[in-house]
Amino acid sequence: MARQLSLLIKPVSADCNMRCKYCFYIRPGDPYRSEGRHLMDDRTLRTMISSYMKSAGKCASFGWQGGEPLLAGIDFFKRVAEYQQSYGLSAQLVSNNLQTNGLLLNDEWAKFFKRYNFFIGVSLDGPEEYHNAYRHALNGLDSFRQTMKGIQTLRNHQVEFSILTVVNDITVKKPAELFQFFIRNGLYHLQFIPCVEMNRETQEMKGYSLSVPDYKDFLCTLFDVWYNKGKPIASIRLFENILAVYMGIDPEICAFHNECGSYVVVEYNGDVYPCDFFVEEDWMAGNLLETPVHEMMNGPKLQAFNRRKIQQSSGCSNCEWNFICHFGCQHDRLVNGMNYLCEAYREFFSYTQKRFHLLKQALST
């Protein structure tokens, strides 16, 4: 069965009102870095929505990301909702997910998100001292209090949201503290993203990246506090996806699929790429103003990228845990084909196997 294709759209490209030190978009390889301000024009927006919804099937899934997507302005997103309603097929479901740093959230935005059922991801790296370590506004000020204010605004308007935390060299050593902070603040829907940024020429990790031993300890300790004697009180995306695998359900996380290709990235000007980690000239598949996205998906560039996930792997095929991670994420690959995080995941899968089976049994009875 073909996997549902979703769009990850960068309406303002990598433009942002913050300068996070670990941001992987702030690098010389960004094809759009030398340009001025970016904003998707109306022709590109209308073409993207109309052509995608015609081929999306029963569910059209839009993800809005940056940079900071709210810089596009609320009138831009009002047109998004208008075009989705105009071009949607009969009985077609539409989902909108938007990732934000929270600094621009206000009552007007929250009312709009509530009206059109947007699901919001808010970037928050934990308590103030950890969040502010690498996440700074353009004016150099710390961002923690503004982000927390934005979260409260979403709550005030009953907007559904989750928290995205980057696990860097600092936070990787604080799993229990992070978890307790989130629970204490009533934040129960959590996603933890490992910070793995390397110099591709030297294969050396950048200073804010986590180490493999630390990440293994992070995952095991986080699981311990989350497990709660078989009755978790919070949703952690990674753990729930692993549990889905044990239960025979196709996981949501793209890194756990046999091939890439569950989504494509659409840049502000309509250029299409296979992954937000690979917005690079070599991997541009085309432009949706010239070629529909569903045609590009079957084209040689994206097909080659999707198959590359398996072809690059070394030692994965015979690994007892490959049924979970399926070769891991291409972004985390070293030059020798090994996944940088492989050993951390191996030890974590072994450490948690029995308890995942217990959770499976509890949900199956």
Side-chain angles (χ1 to χ4, degrees), residues 145-312:
R145 295 184 183 181
Q146 288 177 272
T147 299
M148 293 299 287
K149 182 179 178 181
I151 288 172
Q152 186 57 51
T153 300
L154 294 177
R155 281 175 162 160
N156 291 344
H157 294 274
Q158 294 85 48
V159 177
E160 291 188 61
F161 68 94
S162 65
I163 299 298
L164 187 150
T165 298
V166 175
V167 186
N168 52 56
D169 65 315
I170 298 172
T171 52
V172 73
K173 299 176 182 178
K174 308 290 182 180
E177 187 176 345
L178 288 180
F179 185 78
Q180 290 161 6
F181 166 80
F182 291 131
I183 298 305
R184 188 168 62 249
N185 284 275
L187 303 170
Y188 297 103
H189 297 276
L190 310 173
Q191 182 178 353
F192 296 91
I193 304 297
C195 184
V196 178
E197 288 298 315
M198 71 182 79
N199 182 316
R200 294 193 181 182
E201 294 181 0
T202 65
Q203 293 287 289
E204 293 180 355
M205 290 295 160
K206 296 183 179 180
Y208 41 72
S209 295
L210 47 75
S211 73
V212 174
D214 282 345
Y215 190 50
K216 183 267 294 183
D217 291 342
F218 175 90
L219 290 175
C220 292
T221 302
L222 183 65
F223 184 89
D224 287 342
V225 295
W226 170 81
Y227 184 72
N228 190 38
K229 298 181 180 180
K231 297 181 179 179
I233 61 172
S235 167
I236 294 182
R237 185 173 181 237
L238 174 64
F239 299 163
E240 292 186 348
N241 272 257
I242 295 172
L243 179 59
V245 173
Y246 275 104
M247 298 188 70
I249 301 170
D250 193 27
E252 171 202 6
I253 296 177
C254 58
F256 284 0
H257 295 156
N258 251 327
E259 289 189 352
C260 298
S262 58
Y263 76 94
V264 292
V265 173
V266 180
E267 269 287 349
Y268 80 103
N269 62 352
D271 289 345
V272 173
Y273 295 85
C275 174
D276 54 337
F277 285 123
F278 291 88
V279 177
E280 302 168 355
E281 290 183 9
D282 289 345
W283 287 113
M284 193 183 87
N287 188 286
L288 57 78
L289 293 175
E290 302 169 354
T291 308
V293 171
H294 68 275
E295 291 185 19
M296 280 186 267
M297 277 301 299
N298 297 316
K301 187 64 69 73
L302 291 183
Q303 288 298 311
F305 182 87
N306 296 344
R307 292 191 298 268
R308 184 171 173 258
K309 186 178 195 286
I310 296 176
Q311 293 166 347
Q312 276 192 320

Side-chain angles (χ1 to χ4, degrees), residues 4 53-61 89-95:
Q4 177 70 39
M53 295 190 78
K54 288 177 183 177
S55 62
K58 294 182 179 180
C59 181
S61 177
L89 305 179
S90 177
Q92 188 176 41
L93 299 176
V94 178
S95 66

